[in-house]
């Protein structure tokens, strides 16, 4: 079992940057694939990024490729989402999620993840 707590969301201007953090409880964080999803009003929850246990494999949604970077520090039980060149369409609640399966084939599907955080709001203002 793992509990996840996101932080770092806030209001930022277009073109700005933010780093979200996902703090995990438990000693086995290094054996969970970590993902980030986001939910904007009126939309379905959207896959943002995922990272394998060791960090050697990373995956991104098309809308964030080249702008966002996912990473993790297993020694600190923390995952990160660095977001650069933010756009108004990036406004959403961002959730981190964890799956005990390494190198998920369907990493972009919500139902592959067993544990979720409460979310952190990111608002990009023009």
């Amino acid at each position: 079992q793992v509990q996840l707590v996101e932080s770092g969301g806030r209001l930022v201007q277009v073109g700005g940057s933010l780093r979200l953090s996902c703090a995990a409880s438990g000693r086995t964080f290094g054996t969970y694939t970590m993902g980030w999803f986001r939910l904007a009003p009126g939309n379905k929850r959207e896959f943002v990024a995922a990272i394998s246990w060791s960090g050697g494999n990373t995956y991104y949604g098309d809308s964030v490729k080249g702008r966002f970077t996912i990473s993790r520090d297993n020694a600190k039980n923390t995952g990160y989402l660095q977001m650069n060149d933010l756009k108004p369409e990036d406004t959403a609640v961002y959730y981190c999620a964890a799956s005990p399966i390494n190198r998920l084939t369907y990493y972009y599907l919500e139902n592959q993840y067993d544990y979720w955080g409460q979310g952190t709001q990111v608002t990009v203002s023009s």
Side-chain angles (χ1 to χ4, degrees), residues 17-22 34-36 48-51 55 57-61 63-73 78-86 94:
S17 297
L18 277 180
R19 188 176 80 159
L20 304 183
S21 298
C22 176
M34 189 186 74
W36 286 93
V48 176
I51 188 167
N57 297 88
T58 57
Y59 314 92
Y60 296 93
S63 61
V64 306
K65 279 180 183 175
R67 300 188 298 122
F68 290 12
T69 303
I70 189 171
S71 62
R72 66 191 299 162
D73 185 338
T78 303
Y80 304 98
L81 184 68
Q82 176 67 43
M83 305 187 294
N84 297 329
D85 189 24
L86 283 162
Y94 283 71

Side-chain angles (χ1 to χ4, degrees), residues 12-15 38 40-41 67 85-92 94 121-126:
V12 64
Q13 290 189 334
V14 168
R38 65 187 182 186
R67 300 188 298 122
D85 189 24
L86 283 162
K87 305 176 180 180
E89 52 263 41
D90 294 319
T91 295
Y94 283 71
Q121 176 71 48
V122 172
T123 302
V124 183
S125 172
S126 56

Side-chain angles (χ1 to χ4, degrees), residues 37 45 47 97-101 104-116:
F37 290 76
R45 193 146 54 180
F47 169 73
S99 166
I101 301 173
L104 279 176
T105 299
Y106 301 107
Y107 50 83
Y108 50 89
L109 296 179
E110 294 180 59
N111 62 14
Q112 301 294 295
Y113 297 84
D114 297 325
Y115 306 101
W116 291 82

